[in-house]
C-alpha cells in the first residue's frame, strides 16, 4: 500500500493538539498510542507509519510511560525541543490537577459511605484491568518455551522470594542479550516494525535529528540539573531524612527502572510504601483506581503515593502543604527523566532505522514483565477478595470476572468498566447499609 504523503504542521496546530490530547488520553498506554496513531498518522498526516512505529519501538525500550515518551518524541520531530516539551508537559498536566483533587477527596472523605463505596467498586475494576494487561502482554511475547520460562521465573522470584523488581528486569535484559546470540529464533520475538518487511524511508535530513555530542552533553547537563535541583533544595530546606526528600530520591530511582509502565512498577513502589509506612494495605489499589479514572499515564498513581506519604508523615509542615509538595516532587521525579531519555537518545535512534540487535533484550524484559504483572494481579486480588483469611468477597470476585470478560472478550473500553464498577460498588454498599 502506498504511504500517504505527510504534511508539515504549524506549531500552533501542534500546540492545540497536545493540549487536547492531555484531556482525552484515557485508556492506558494502548489507548493513548492508538489515539496518537489515528490523529497524527491517519487523519492529520503529520508523521508517516514507519517513522511513528520506529519512535514507538524506541520508547518501548525505555523506563517510564511509553505513551508520554512517544508524544515527546513526535513533538520533538515536528518542532524540535520546544515541541517535545509542549507535547510531554501537556500529556500529564491535566491529570496532575485531577489527581491532586481526587487524592485530597480521598484522604478527607474516604471514610464517608458514599466515597468508600465508590472505591470499593473500583477494586473489582482494577483487578480485571490488571488481568487483561497480563493477557495482552502475554499474547504479544509468550510465543515459545524460552519466553514462558522467563515469565514464570519472574513470577516465582517476586512472589515467593520478593526479589527486587530492578534486579528482575536487569537479569531478563542480560538473558535476552545472551539468548539472542545463542538462540535468536527463540529470543527475537518482539520484532521492530521497521524490520517486519518492506523498505524503509530514507534517513531523516532535518538538522535537529542529526546526532551531536555537543548537543548531547548540553541536554545531559540541563536535564540532570532540572531533575535534581528541586530535590536537593527540598533536602537543604527540610532535612535529608524528611519524607519529601526521601520521596524525591526514591521516585528518581523508580524512574530509571520502570520498564513496562505502571503495572510493572507498582510492586516496587508498593514495597517501598509498605516498608516506610507511607500507605496502608489496599491503598495502592485505590490509587490505581483513581489513576484509571483520569486522563494521562497510569503511572500517575505515583502522585497519589507521594500525596499520601507526605500527608501521613508531614514532619513539621502543614499537612496539606506537605501532601501537595509530596505529590509534586513525586510527579517531577517520575516524568522529568522522560524528557532526558528522548532528547538524549532520539537523534541517535533516528540514525538506527531497522536495527534489530537489541530486540532480543526487549523480548526477554517484556516476558519478565508478564510474570511481574501477574504477581500484581494475584496480590491485589488476594487483598481485596480475601480480606480475612479464606472468606471470599463474592461480590468483588463477580465484579472482577465480569470486568475481565467484557474487556477481554467484548473489547469494552476501560473507562466504562471503571465507571460501572464504581456505580455497582456504591449500589451494593448502600444496600448493605440499608440506605
Amino acid at each position: 500500500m502506498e504511504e500517504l504523503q505527510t504534511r508539515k504542521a504549524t506549531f500552533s496546530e501542534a500546540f492545540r493538539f497536545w493540549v487536547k490530547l492531555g484531556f482525552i488520553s484515557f485508556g492506558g498506554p494502548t489507548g493513548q498510542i492508538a489515539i496518537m496513531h489515528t490523529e497524527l498518522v491517519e487523519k492529520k498526516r503529520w508523521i508517516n507509519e514507519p517513522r511513528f512505529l520506529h519512535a514507538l519501538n524506541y520508547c518501548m525500550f525505555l523506563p517510564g510511560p511509553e505513551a508520554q515518551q512517544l508524544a515527546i518524541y513526535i513533538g520533538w520531530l515536528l518542532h524540535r525541543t520546544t515541541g517535545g516539551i509542549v507535547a510531554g508537559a501537556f500529556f500529564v498536566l491535566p491529570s496532575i490537577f485531577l489527581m491532586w483533587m481526587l487524592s485530597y477527596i480521598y484522604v478527607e472523605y474516604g471514610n464517608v459511605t458514599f466515597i468508600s463505596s465508590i472505591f470499593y467498586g473500583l477494586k473489582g475494576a482494577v483487578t480485571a484491568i490488571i488481568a487483561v494487561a497480563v493477557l495482552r502482554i502475554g499474547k504479544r511475547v509468550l510465543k515459545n518455551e524460552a519466553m514462558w520460562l522467563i515469565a514464570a521465573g519472574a513470577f516465582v522470584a517476586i512472589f515467593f522470594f520478593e526479589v527486587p523488581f530492578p534486579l528482575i528486569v536487569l537479569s531478563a535484559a542480560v538473558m535476552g542479550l545472551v539468548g539472542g546470540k545463542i538462540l535468536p529464533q527463540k529470543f527475537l520475538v518482539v520484532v521492530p516494525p521497521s524490520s517486519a518487511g518492506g523498505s524503509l524511508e530514507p534517513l531523516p535530513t532535518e538538522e535537529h535529528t542529526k546526532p551531536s555530542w555537543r548537543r548531547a552533553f548540553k541536554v545531559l547537563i540541563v536535564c540532570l540539573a532540572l531533575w535534581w535541583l528541586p530535590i536537593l533544595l527540598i533536602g537543604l530546606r527540610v532535612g535529608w531524612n524528611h519524607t519529601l526528600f526521601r520521596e524525591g530520591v526514591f521516585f528518581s530511582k523508580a524512574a530509571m527502572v520502570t520498564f513496562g509502565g505502571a503495572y510493572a512498577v507498582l510492586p516496587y513502589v508498593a514495597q517501598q510504601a509498605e516498608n516506610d509506612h507511607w500507605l496502608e494495605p489496599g491503598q495502592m489499589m485505590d490509587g490505581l483506581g483513581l489513576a484509571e479514572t483520569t486522563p494521562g499515564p497510569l503511572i500517575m498513581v505515583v502522585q497519589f503515593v507521594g500525596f499520601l506519604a507526605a500527608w501521613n508523615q508531614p514532619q513539621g509542615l502543614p499537612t496539606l502543604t506537605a501532601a501537595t509538595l509530596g505529590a509534586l516532587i513525586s510527579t517531577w521525579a517520575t516524568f522529568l527523566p522522560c524528557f532526558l531519555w528522548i532528547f538524549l537518545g532520539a537523534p541517535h535512534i533516528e540514525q538506527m532505522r531497522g536495527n534489530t540487535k537489541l530486540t532480543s533484550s526487549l523480548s526477554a524484559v517484556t516476558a519478565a514483565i508478564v510474570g511481574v504483572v501477574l504477581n500484581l494481579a494475584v496480590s491485589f486480588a488476594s487483598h481485596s477478595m480475601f480480606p480475612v483469611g479464606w472468606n471470599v468477597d463474592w461480590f468483588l470476585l463477580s465484579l472482577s470476572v465480569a470486568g475481565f470478560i467484557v474487556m477481554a472478550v467484548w473489547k469494552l473500553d476501560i473507562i466504562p468498566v471503571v465507571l460501572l464498577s464504581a456505580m455497582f460498588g456504591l449500589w451494593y454498599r448502600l444496600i448493605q447499609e440499608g440506605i
Side-chain angles (χ1 to χ4, degrees), residues 320-404:
L320 183 58
T321 300
T324 301
L325 290 174
L328 291 175
I329 198 64
S330 61
T331 304
W332 182 263
T334 298
F335 290 103
L336 194 283
C338 295
F339 294 89
L340 172 59
W341 312 145
I342 298 300
F343 293 151
L344 190 63
H348 301 278
I349 296 302
E350 281 295 296
Q351 308 302 312
M352 295 172 60
R353 305 288 303 282
N355 189 301
T356 62
K357 292 181 180 179
L358 297 179
T359 54
S360 60
S361 181
L362 173 63
S363 299
V365 169
T366 307
I369 285 170
V370 174
V372 173
V373 178
L374 178 60
N375 163 74
L376 183 64
V378 173
S379 176
F380 278 4
S382 63
H383 278 108
S384 59
M385 297 172 201
F386 303 93
V388 182
W390 289 98
N391 295 326
V392 182
D393 187 328
W394 291 105
F395 177 79
L396 268 188
L397 179 59
S398 302
L399 202 60
S400 297
V401 171
F404 178 82

Side-chain angles (χ1 to χ4, degrees), residues 35-209:
I35 290 172
M36 283 188 277
H37 184 273
T38 300
E39 291 288 329
L40 300 178
V41 177
E42 298 176 5
K43 293 183 178 180
K44 300 181 183 299
R45 292 183 282 117
W46 292 348
I47 182 173
N48 63 22
E49 184 89 8
R51 212 162 181 187
F52 181 92
L53 294 176
H54 181 69
L56 175 59
N57 191 54
Y58 171 57
C59 295
M60 291 294 294
F61 272 101
L62 298 174
E66 62 266 29
Q68 190 215 15
Q69 289 163 346
L70 180 62
I72 297 172
Y73 197 124
I74 296 175
W76 167 79
L77 279 178
L78 295 176
H79 297 104
R80 307 171 67 93
T81 303
T82 303
I85 292 173
V86 168
F90 280 100
F91 194 88
V92 297
L93 276 175
S95 57
I96 288 175
F97 291 104
L98 286 172
M99 183 58 76
W100 180 92
M101 180 180 67
L102 291 173
S103 300
Y104 178 72
I105 292 173
Y106 177 85
V107 295
E108 281 287 2
Y109 306 106
N111 59 342
V112 177
T113 300
F114 181 82
I115 301 296
S116 62
S117 299
I118 290 176
F119 284 116
Y120 170 73
L122 285 176
K123 291 178 181 180
V126 170
T127 304
I129 289 166
I130 297 173
V132 171
V134 173
L135 181 65
R136 185 183 69 242
I137 303 172
K139 287 172 63 177
R140 177 170 170 260
V141 72
L142 302 183
K143 297 181 179 179
N144 57 58
E145 62 275 14
M147 297 296 105
W148 276 99
L149 284 173
I150 292 174
F155 175 79
V156 170
I158 196 168
F159 185 81
F160 292 102
F161 300 103
E162 298 183 356
V163 175
F165 172 69
L167 182 58
I168 293 175
V169 170
L170 179 61
S171 301
V174 173
M175 289 175 65
L177 287 174
V178 175
K181 295 180 180 179
I182 301 173
L183 295 169
Q185 71 276 16
K186 299 293 185 182
F187 283 84
L188 293 176
V189 175
V190 183
V191 181
S194 55
S195 65
S199 58
L200 299 174
E201 64 172 338
L203 288 177
T205 57
E206 300 95 325
E207 190 63 33
H208 71 283
T209 63

